Amino acid sequence: MTGPKLDHIPGGAGLPVLGHTLTFLRDARALVERERRRHGDVFRVSILGRPNVVFLSPQATREIYLDPGRALSSTQGWASSIGPMFGGGLMLRDFDDHHRHRRVMQQAFSRAALNGYVERIHEVVDATLNELPDGPVDAYRVMKQLTLDLAARVFVGVELDKDAQPINDAFVAMMRASVTPLRVALPGTAYRQGLDGRARLDAIFEALVAQRRTAPPADDLLSRLSHATTESGEPLPVNDVVDHMVFLLLAAHDTTTATLAVLLWELARNDAWQDRVVAEVSALDGAPVTLDNHATLTDLSLAMNEAMRLSPPVPFSPRVAVTDLTIDGWEIPAGAAVTAASLALHRHPDWWTQPDVFDPDRFGPDRAEQRQHSHLFVPFGGGAHLCIGNHLAELVTKAVVSRLLARRRISCDPAHPLVMQPVPIPKPRGPLVLTLS
């Protein structure tokens, strides 16, 4: 495949045609760690048919995220993976276009809006947790359904009930299609199934937008976007509303589910840390987690940060250079694909003490390992594309964990360790079995 010259970047092309794609899908962390040991913090690999320059240093991560020269396109960066399935989402827009759409969506994540979501969040969380029996449960399956219900209630203003499974199946098909090497829409292929899933979601949301535009404005995001207007006073195009809702519904439930999976597993196998979090939760005396009191859950914050360090919600942030630029001293030509890899940065042995060990105190004031560099710990990305829902994700995660630990003790079988598959969205390989008592 022809493209910009990258011979000055260490690395290789991998297998013919496939490059490093199969290894990347099978064990992305092992691939990146292997290349780091061989080449250092900058190397190139070939993923989904395209050479990609991977950066592992916090300084390079900073320069990629902040992009002061507007030289890096997020739209083009995601085009070879999730672009066909989630095009038009906020993360897949660039520069002025991204800024305009982010301003419209920001209203749904203001402090006033977040406070308005608290009651609905706790209603859904309590309803789900109250139905859980004592004994073993697949915590990932439970959390995935819970966060999907939360996203539907908070963002769409509906209860999914019987519609939940088709919607979830559509998202699963779309994510599988995003990383399949065979990117041809032949009948029966993963790529075709992903496109069909997107078509189903488009139909669902187009009908909902039509309903909302004939009803008085409500406080859910779909209603706000349905009634939003452009700078010229025209309604936001239906396809824009649908693009934002599909992407946001995915981002709001899958990434939070991944964080909850790692956090609950680590608390289940670390009794001392579970005790510390339970003590904080008990001090709430049944009160909901809000923007005003969530900061009192300091140990839960440390544990949540450590879970996101071990398994970042978005482990790779791809971009494509639209002009020549320099990143951390490396010349990058226009047209080259570059990636900030928080999956490896968050476990980099040059920066973290015992990087593979669950040790939340590394984020405490006495150590504060993350403060060695402004972009060493980047679970929500950074710059213009900093996750717009990061505060909501923290609120939801703390609400779920605090309500669960107020009711139950959790434990796990250390003989069956949690193994996270980081791409396309972090999730456990196999069931995540926790025992509730």
Side-chain angles (χ1 to χ4, degrees), residues 196-210:
D196 291 344
R198 176 59 198 247
R200 289 196 298 273
L201 293 184
D202 284 348
I204 291 171
F205 282 106
E206 285 169 4
L208 286 171
V209 172

Side-chain angles (χ1 to χ4, degrees), residues 272-315:
W273 269 98
Q274 188 173 165
D275 290 341
R276 287 172 64 167
V277 173
V278 167
E280 287 186 335
V281 169
S282 299
L284 291 178
D285 196 24
V289 176
T290 67
L291 291 177
D292 293 327
N293 68 14
H294 82 91
T296 65
L297 301 173
T298 54
D299 284 333
L300 179 51
S301 294
L302 298 179
M304 183 182 71
N305 283 343
E306 181 69 339
M308 292 191 292
R309 184 190 67 82
L310 291 170
S311 180
V314 182

Side-chain angles (χ1 to χ4, degrees), residues 23-28 417-422 427-432:
T23 307
F24 178 73
L25 296 178
R26 184 169 57 248
D27 194 340
L418 172 68
V419 178
M420 293 295 286
Q421 177 178 308
K427 62 175 292 186
R429 287 196 175 112
L432 171 60

Side-chain angles (χ1 to χ4, degrees), residues 125-139 141-143 404 407-411 432-437:
V125 171
D126 289 344
T128 298
L129 298 183
N130 287 339
E131 294 179 357
L132 291 180
D134 281 346
V137 299
D138 183 347
R141 182 188 61 79
V142 172
M143 292 300 116
L404 176 61
R407 295 167 167 82
R408 310 290 180 87
R409 188 80 186 174
I410 56 175
S411 59
L432 171 60
V433 179
L434 298 182
T435 299
L436 310 183
S437 60

Side-chain angles (χ1 to χ4, degrees), residues 235-251:
L236 200 64
V238 172
N239 64 296
D240 282 347
V241 178
V242 172
D243 287 343
H244 286 312
M245 292 308 304
V246 169
F247 181 76
L248 192 59
L249 203 60
L250 168 83

Side-chain angles (χ1 to χ4, degrees), residues 1 6-7 9-23 31 34-35 38-39 43-52:
M1 181 177 180
L6 295 171
D7 295 343
I9 307 291
L15 296 173
V17 181
L18 292 174
H20 300 89
T21 301
L22 297 182
T23 307
L31 169 65
R34 183 191 74 196
E35 297 302 304
R38 287 178 177 175
H39 306 296
F43 53 84
R44 56 185 164 89
V45 293
S46 179
I47 306 294
L48 295 175
R50 180 165 199 167
N52 207 301

Side-chain angles (χ1 to χ4, degrees), residues 81-372:
S81 55
I82 68 173
M85 304 295 148
F86 297 96
L90 199 57
M91 192 169 71
L92 286 83
R93 293 178 182 268
D94 285 329
F95 313 131
D96 291 341
D97 177 61
H98 169 267
H99 180 68
R100 283 194 300 270
H101 282 266
R102 189 177 179 101
R103 279 196 308 176
V104 173
M105 296 186 67
Q106 190 64 53
Q107 61 182 310
F109 298 94
S110 66
R111 186 176 183 87
L114 292 178
N115 279 324
Y117 300 150
V118 167
E119 183 176 352
R120 268 176 285 176
I121 289 171
H122 286 81
E123 286 176 356
V124 176
V125 171
D126 289 344
T128 298
L129 298 183
N130 287 339
E131 294 179 357
L132 291 180
D134 281 346
V137 299
D138 183 347
Y140 181 80
R141 182 188 61 79
V142 172
M143 292 300 116
K144 186 170 177 61
Q145 182 62 60
L146 169 57
T147 55
L148 184 59
D149 289 343
L150 278 169
R153 287 285 300 277
V154 171
F155 295 132
V156 190
V158 299
E159 295 189 34
L160 291 178
D161 298 329
K162 62 182 176 61
D163 295 325
Q165 195 58 48
I167 289 177
N168 188 58
D169 289 346
F171 280 123
V172 170
M174 291 161 67
M175 293 309 299
R176 188 184 301 119
S178 296
V179 294
T180 179
L182 182 61
R183 306 184 74 75
V184 181
L186 296 174
T189 62
Y191 199 70
R192 176 75 262 173
Q193 292 167 0
L195 292 174
D196 291 344
R198 176 59 198 247
R200 289 196 298 273
L201 293 184
D202 284 348
I204 291 171
F205 282 106
E206 285 169 4
L208 286 171
V209 172
Q211 293 173 11
R212 297 303 164 85
R213 286 188 166 170
T214 61
D219 63 354
D220 60 86
L221 178 60
L222 177 59
S223 179
R224 293 181 180 187
L225 287 180
S226 298
H227 289 275
T229 58
T230 64
E231 294 176 352
S232 61
E234 298 295 322
L236 200 64
V238 172
N239 64 296
D240 282 347
V241 178
V242 172
D243 287 343
H244 286 312
M245 292 308 304
V246 169
F247 181 76
L248 192 59
L249 203 60
L250 168 83
H253 88 277
D254 261 347
T255 54
T256 304
T257 303
T259 297
L260 281 166
V262 178
L263 177 55
L264 290 175
W265 171 263
E266 294 293 353
L267 291 177
R269 74 187 191 96
N270 288 275
D271 285 339
W273 269 98
Q274 188 173 165
D275 290 341
R276 287 172 64 167
V277 173
V278 167
E280 287 186 335
V281 169
S282 299
L284 291 178
D285 196 24
V289 176
T290 67
L291 291 177
D292 293 327
N293 68 14
H294 82 91
T296 65
L297 301 173
T298 54
D299 284 333
L300 179 51
S301 294
L302 298 179
M304 183 182 71
N305 283 343
E306 181 69 339
M308 292 191 292
R309 184 190 67 82
L310 291 170
S311 180
V314 182
F316 298 96
S317 297
R319 304 285 192 268
V320 169
V322 295
T323 64
D324 295 346
L325 77 157
T326 301
I327 299 177
D328 199 17
W330 291 84
E331 298 296 326
I332 302 298
V338 303
T339 295
S342 59
L343 182 70
L345 174 63
H346 282 186
R347 295 189 188 222
H348 201 305
D350 290 351
W351 297 90
W352 303 97
T353 304
Q354 294 185 291
D356 295 330
V357 175
F358 178 76
D359 180 11
D361 277 327
R362 73 174 76 246
F363 288 95
D366 293 339
R367 291 165 60 187
E369 293 182 10
Q370 78 281 8
R371 293 182 182 170
Q372 298 173 81

